Amino acid sequence: MVLEKLGSSLYDAIRKVIRAPVVDADLVKELIRDFQRALLQADVNVQLVMELSQNIEKQALDEELPPGISRREHVVKVVYDALTYFVGEKQIPLDIRPGKQNVLMLIGIQGSGKTTQGAKLARYFQKRGLKPALICADTFRPGAFDQLKQLAESIKVDFYGEPDSKDPVKIARNGVKTFSDHEVVILDTSGRHKEEKSLIVEMQQIAREVRPQEIILVLDGTIGQQAAAQAAAFNEATDVGSIIIAKLDGSARGGGALSGVAATGAPIKFIGTGEKIEDLEPFVPGRFIGRLLGMGDIESLVAKVQEAEVQVTERDVNAMLSGKFSLADMYQQFEAMRKMGPLQKVLSMVPGFSYQLPQDQLDLAEDRMDRWKYIIESMTPEERENPKILNASRVRRIARGSGTDERDVRELIKQYNAMRKMLRQLKGRRRMLRRMPFKLG
Ligand SMILES: Nc1nc2c(ncn2[C@@H]2O[C@H](COP(=O)(O)OP(=O)(O)O)[C@@H](O)[C@H]2O)c(=O)[nH]1
Ligand SMILES: [Mg+2]
């Protein structure tokens, strides 16, 4: 199977955006192609990939930028959202019914971290007031019994095993019976190698025997591209209910883990972040994506974009007042205004500035915003930046394109000129105010 490291190819794609001097439509399209390729190569469902990439393209290109946010930041945020959606929007807890016996069966290849995560899980639920127990059904690995027994003793969790038995199905059955009054019964199994037929059969027999509440696949977060194949093999043999990614401490980005998720469709519920028994954390999708993309500060970037989506910053108002005010800016201001209230309120955010705009102008702006938006949308970027070039034939074309009247288009231009003039006046007035030796209210 030809599988690329999903994580790293996505990372490369994102890097392109981060490094590019200009983020334009072409670059966004290229990014989306990279994104599709990466996901398809990881055997992600074609329909899901198409859905995701359509969303990304639509949002990255069509959505108006929140004030103060660059196209670049916006694109990163959109991709981030898509990936977050992909690994799950929020953390999904392990559903334990208190007061009842819940059997959790751990599967995964040898060395992936099953035994360690099993003990960590026991500790995790013990700290939350539940009664856990550990069962060693690994009769293959020498020392498996002692390893889990010692871990169980170190956290004072009840343990069951049969050191001399070679029958894991029987051990599992006896253990589950022994712990009938325990709430979280964690069953550790042998790993060996994923392609070993007898392992698969053994796993299926144990599952059939004890009917676990949930089968948890433990994946090694450092294995990269093998994760998808491994996860797929286990998922074919059993019903993988959730995933724990172990060894996500250190430098592992866990890109393979994402393909593991893709291969099984099962959610990641925990990550192992160290060898110690306390090193288990509920999986937080956002944090994982940040790590996957190799962007430590992605969460603050996302927070910044989210904030800007509902707030017009003082900087934007200043930029608007500084004279460079295009139709594109006007459009953006309309968008922002709708989200936060009237323009008067926007302007009132500028310190030391109190000027009442004529109310009829504000009303007019708000009433006709929708029509104006259609009109501006029908313009070329050049026309938006430099409305002076709007001659009669352009006005005709825009009116037709936006489903409005030529009169509406001319009215918009007139309104735009009026606003620009007004803003220039405000700017002069503000400068004057600043020169005053004392504050004028
Ligand atoms: N750094 C790190 N090492 C881990 C983690 N989980 C397990 N290990 C180590 O990985 C090795 C294999 O773990 P083990 O639980 O025995 O794997 P099993 O064969 O699947 O049961 C051991 O040396 C563990 O200490 C983890 O989250 N981080
Ligand atoms: Mg083990």
Side-chain angles (χ1 to χ4, degrees):
M1 210 190 309
V2 188
L3 274 175
E4 264 184 35
K5 267 190 210 163
L6 176 62
S8 75
S9 42
L10 284 178
Y11 177 64
D12 290 344
I14 291 285
R15 294 293 296 182
K16 264 186 216 163
V17 175
I18 306 275
R19 276 194 304 245
V22 184
V23 178
D24 56 10
D26 283 346
L27 189 78
V28 171
K29 292 218 166 84
E30 193 184 324
L31 170 73
I32 287 162
R33 274 194 300 276
D34 290 340
F35 185 75
Q36 288 174 333
R37 202 175 306 127
L39 291 174
L40 289 171
Q41 274 166 350
D43 285 342
V44 181
N45 177 282
V46 175
Q47 204 183 324
L48 177 62
V49 173
M50 290 310 155
E51 247 169 61
L52 283 172
S53 39
Q54 269 166 21
N55 284 347
I56 292 175
E57 179 161 353
K58 196 159 162 290
Q59 286 177 43
L61 290 178
D62 296 352
E63 237 175 48
E64 275 305 303
L65 294 179
I69 294 301
S70 68
R71 172 76 57 194
R72 187 191 317 271
E73 288 169 325
H74 186 62
V75 171
V76 172
K77 159 78 162 43
V78 167
V79 171
Y80 174 90
D81 282 349
L83 287 172
T84 302
Y85 167 80
F86 185 53
V87 292
E89 271 173 278
K90 49 178 194 274
Q91 198 242 323
I92 301 171
L94 239 172
D95 200 11
I96 299 294
R97 304 157 304 168
K100 298 215 169 89
Q101 189 192 47
N102 301 267
V103 178
L104 308 176
M105 179 175 164
L106 297 177
I107 62 171
I109 70 158
Q110 183 166 327
S112 58
K114 287 180 302 301
T115 304
T116 315
Q117 312 317 308
K120 290 178 184 177
L121 273 177
R123 178 76 183 127
Y124 180 87
F125 288 111
Q126 181 188 48
K127 281 203 289 194
R128 279 154 187 78
L130 292 160
K131 194 176 175 190
L134 285 159
I135 302 171
C136 173
D138 180 355
T139 56
F140 181 79
R141 187 179 189 171
F145 174 91
D146 291 327
Q147 186 194 3
L148 190 60
K149 187 166 185 281
Q150 274 168 24
L151 286 167
E153 280 167 1
S154 76
I155 51 174
K156 298 190 171 57
V157 163
D158 293 331
F159 167 78
Y160 185 86
E162 300 176 14
D164 300 320
S165 169
K166 285 283 159 225
D167 186 348
V169 180
K170 191 166 139 267
I171 299 172
R173 181 174 52 226
N174 291 342
V176 169
K177 211 186 289 165
T178 303
F179 295 133
S180 59
D181 66 336
H182 288 61
E183 290 163 303
V184 188
V185 177
I186 299 160
L187 184 60
D188 186 21
T189 65
S190 105
R192 286 179 269 175
H193 195 268
K194 67 176 191 315
E195 270 133 37
E196 223 176 295
K197 259 239 163 65
S198 57
L199 164 68
I200 299 289
V201 172
E202 180 181 306
M203 233 171 47
Q204 289 169 331
Q205 284 173 339
I206 296 175
R208 216 172 298 135
E209 183 67 36
V210 305
R211 300 190 170 277
Q213 170 96 346
E214 188 150 314
I215 296 179
I216 304 173
L217 174 65
V218 178
L219 289 175
D220 180 335
T222 65
I223 58 169
Q225 59 184 356
Q226 303 159 46
Q230 244 180 52
F234 279 107
N235 196 48
E236 232 167 75
T238 57
D239 181 16
V240 174
S242 61
I243 295 173
I244 296 180
I245 314 287
K247 308 182 198 179
L248 268 188
D249 40 323
S251 62
R253 279 212 299 269
L258 193 58
S259 18
V261 176
T264 59
I268 305 170
K269 292 195 178 170
F270 285 95
I271 57 169
T273 55
E275 292 190 60
K276 290 198 297 299
I277 217 141
E278 311 284 341
D279 296 334
L280 184 77
E281 297 172 13
F283 173 70
V284 180
R287 216 177 287 155
F288 176 76
I289 302 286
R291 186 188 182 97
L292 187 71
L293 300 178
M295 295 177 65
D297 58 349
I298 192 160
E299 288 198 319
S300 55
L301 187 151
V302 169
K304 181 188 171 193
V305 177
Q306 276 164 352
E307 224 169 81
E309 273 164 358
V310 289
Q311 213 180 61
V312 178
T313 65
E314 190 189 318
R315 216 191 80 206
D316 296 305
V317 179
N318 286 333
M320 200 168 91
L321 292 177
S322 74
K324 205 207 140 293
F325 180 69
S326 68
L327 274 165
D329 296 323
M330 188 176 177
Y331 184 95
Q332 200 167 297
Q333 291 310 319
F334 290 161
E335 287 275 294
M337 257 163 66
R338 292 199 122 186
K339 281 182 182 138
M340 72 165 293
L343 184 59
Q344 184 60 53
K345 193 173 154 208
V346 180
L347 293 173
S348 71
M349 284 165 55
V350 183
F353 176 78
S354 59
Y355 182 83
Q356 281 292 323
L357 291 175
Q359 189 57 46
D360 58 341
Q361 257 183 44
L362 290 170
D363 286 344
L364 195 69
E366 282 168 23
D367 286 348
R368 298 189 178 169
M369 222 177 277
D370 274 342
R371 216 178 317 151
W372 288 350
K373 272 176 64 185
Y374 297 141
I375 293 171
I376 297 174
E377 277 164 6
S378 297
M379 293 179 180
T380 66
E382 202 197 350
E383 287 164 349
R384 273 176 228 157
E385 285 309 315
N386 186 16
K388 277 203 206 85
I389 63 171
L390 289 168
N391 56 24
S393 79
R394 284 178 190 262
V395 167
R396 209 175 307 129
R397 193 206 78 236
I398 292 164
R400 222 180 299 129
S402 60
T404 59
D405 276 328
E406 285 175 40
R407 204 186 38 203
D408 292 321
V409 180
R410 267 184 241 106
E411 195 186 10
L412 167 68
I413 297 167
K414 210 174 110 199
Q415 190 60 36
Y416 161 75
N417 286 329
M419 250 179 118
R420 208 166 70 122
K421 195 170 148 209
M422 189 179 67
L423 287 168
R424 276 216 207 92
Q425 283 167 0
L426 293 180
K427 185 184 151 210
R429 198 184 149 87
R430 203 157 59 108
R431 228 186 248 139
M432 206 176 71
L433 283 173
R434 217 185 279 136
R435 274 202 302 267
M436 294 280 195
F438 40 79
K439 216 170 162 224
L440 279 182

